Amino acid sequence: MAELLWSLQDSQLVARFQRRCGLFPAARDAGGEGSYVVKNYFYYYLFRFSAALGQEVFYITFLPFTHWNIDPYLSRRLTIIWVLVMYIGQVTKEILKWPRPFSPPVVKLEKRVIAEYGMPSTHAMAATAISFTLLISTMDRYQYPFVLGLMMAVVFSTLVGLSRLYTGMHTVLDVLGGILITAILIVLTYPAWTLIDRLDSASPLFPVCVLVVPFFLCYNYPVSDYYSPTRADTTTIMAAGAGVTIGFWINHFFQLVSEPTESLPVIQNIPPLTTDLLVLGLAKFTVGIVLILLVRQLVQKLSLQVLYSWFKVVTRNKEARRRLEIEVPYKFVTYTSVGICATTFVPMLHRFLGLL
């Protein structure tokens, strides 16, 4: 009862925030989940854009871009911390089962994730993890004003957090809970970050562990009262992290990249963004994304065909994808392949095309 009462009060708080930002339910839509009226388009576009910064489409472009154009060291660390934070956040949702804000009074702008539970906000968790892991990982590697980096990290995570209130997807407690959990995880895992950096030099049995453990965690994901995309999203994230980690191991084991130096040198001056550098970066990104999409499409199609045949499922039955024995294996195989492709085969293609 106390949880329900708090959720109702927090929903009222979210609704007031939406009204102050110029977002109202349409007069014919008292429920708040359908039509809505925007009276302040600055806040509308600001928070819709900010919400996109906390979604998967941002991370599946930002993390590869970081690897191909900025620093593989950073992309490896960011990916592993992101996977850890997201898994804990997703599982916590299924354990707590706290509802999302009630509508009415809240206007809900996103439909896909309505079926998921609210606490904690994994968007806020991911944004906080990415921004502050990037800050901590670069302050001893690159030379730049720390205060500026801190301000950017705070602004990034704050905008994503506020966007979850504006879109009606989370309460204030959901967002604050996500930020707090992430802060605790960063503090607890920070002493092991140096070990994480050396994972690519682990033993030949290391890839087996990287595959078996995440797959086991995804296959034994907490059972929900009804179907939601949470398990599928979690499998995608875990598989991508496993693929990236294996990709780095392949690079080291087969000496596809030069050996990293023991110390992390401080780069005195970050290279200026020139036209040539921008064109090269866009070319590398375009080539990489095209190859990743091709691999994703091919592996997904093949894995689904194998699983449909194995379990004797009609191919046209789209609901079959939601079955545990089909959803987890096909997503895990698909996105593990994507992770390996992004870290191993895309750089090889870049080298072949003379883009390095």
Side-chain angles (χ1 to χ4, degrees):
M1 179 62 72
E3 175 189 324
L4 180 60
L5 180 61
W6 175 261
S7 297
L8 288 170
Q9 293 175 343
D10 218 0
S11 295
Q12 293 286 350
L13 191 61
V14 172
R16 286 199 294 271
F17 176 76
Q18 290 181 321
R19 308 302 183 265
R20 285 181 178 273
C21 294
L23 182 65
F24 299 86
R28 66 177 182 277
D29 183 31
E33 290 190 9
S35 302
Y36 53 88
V37 177
V38 178
K39 295 187 177 181
N40 190 318
Y41 279 96
F42 171 77
Y43 285 127
Y44 177 79
Y45 289 115
L46 173 65
F47 288 128
R48 292 308 296 266
F49 175 75
S50 300
L53 295 178
Q55 294 172 350
E56 286 76 9
V57 66
F58 170 74
Y59 297 111
I60 63 177
T61 54
F62 172 74
L63 293 174
F65 183 87
T66 302
H67 179 81
W68 300 330
N69 291 293
I70 302 177
D71 192 342
Y73 159 82
L74 294 178
S75 70
R76 172 177 54 200
R77 180 174 285 188
L78 288 171
T79 301
I80 293 175
I81 299 301
W82 173 64
V83 169
L84 173 65
V85 166
M86 288 297 292
Y87 178 78
I88 291 178
Q90 295 284 70
V91 170
T92 302
K93 282 184 179 184
E94 297 298 329
I95 294 175
L96 295 180
K97 301 183 185 297
W98 285 22
R100 289 188 180 272
F102 295 106
S103 180
V106 172
V107 178
K108 294 185 176 181
L109 303 186
E110 298 177 6
K111 304 301 180 183
R112 179 180 179 273
V113 295
I114 285 180
E116 295 183 7
Y117 295 107
M119 168 64 87
S121 168
T122 47
H123 281 71
M125 292 182 70
T128 304
I130 289 292
S131 56
F132 282 91
T133 300
L134 186 63
L135 174 68
I136 296 170
S137 300
T138 56
M139 63 184 185
D140 293 330
R141 192 172 179 87
Y142 297 94
Q143 189 174 49
Y144 62 88
F146 175 79
V147 174
L148 177 61
L150 178 61
M151 288 177 58
M152 293 178 64
V154 170
V155 169
F156 180 84
S157 54
T158 300
L159 283 176
V160 173
L162 290 177
S163 74
R164 306 318 290 158
L165 304 181
Y166 183 86
T167 55
M169 292 295 100
H170 287 286
T171 64
V172 176
L173 189 60
D174 295 342
V175 173
L176 294 179
I179 294 173
L180 178 61
I181 292 173
T182 303
I184 293 174
L185 287 173
I186 289 177
V187 171
L188 292 178
T189 60
Y190 178 72
W193 285 11
T194 301
L195 175 62
I196 292 174
D197 296 334
R198 296 192 174 96
L199 287 178
D200 58 7
S201 60
S203 71
L205 295 178
F206 178 70
V208 178
C209 298
V210 171
L211 288 174
V212 171
V213 174
F215 184 81
F216 175 83
L217 292 175
C218 293
Y219 205 84
N220 292 276
Y221 195 76
V223 179
S224 180
D225 298 331
Y226 51 86
Y227 180 82
S228 74
T230 309
R231 184 182 66 202
D233 292 345
T234 304
T235 303
T236 298
I237 294 168
M238 296 287 284
V244 167
T245 305
I246 291 174
F248 277 108
W249 180 88
I250 292 173
N251 293 341
H252 178 88
F253 189 80
F254 293 100
Q255 299 181 352
L256 300 179
V257 294
S258 58
E259 290 292 327
T261 56
E262 289 298 325
S263 60
L264 302 179
V266 174
I267 297 178
Q268 298 298 322
N269 296 305
I270 297 177
L273 184 61
T274 62
T275 303
D276 291 342
L277 191 62
L278 179 61
V279 171
L280 178 62
L282 290 176
K284 292 167 69 174
F285 180 74
T286 302
V287 168
I289 288 297
V290 169
L291 182 58
I292 281 179
L293 291 177
L294 289 174
V295 169
R296 174 186 175 275
Q297 191 67 23
L298 177 62
V299 176
Q300 177 177 284
K301 185 176 182 179
L302 289 176
S303 59
L304 280 174
Q305 287 181 346
V306 170
L307 289 168
Y308 284 157
S309 176
W310 181 268
F311 292 105
K312 297 179 173 56
V313 174
V314 178
T315 306
R316 295 180 181 178
N317 183 5
K318 294 183 179 180
E319 291 297 318
R321 289 194 182 191
R322 297 183 173 184
R323 289 170 51 176
L324 172 65
E325 63 272 19
I326 293 179
E327 183 177 63
V328 171
Y330 102 78
K331 281 194 170 289
F332 196 88
V333 170
T334 299
Y335 288 95
T336 298
S337 302
V338 166
I340 294 174
C341 176
T343 51
T344 299
F345 294 106
V346 170
M348 291 173 64
L349 181 59
H350 287 162
R351 189 176 297 109
F352 176 77
L353 296 176
L355 297 175
L356 290 181

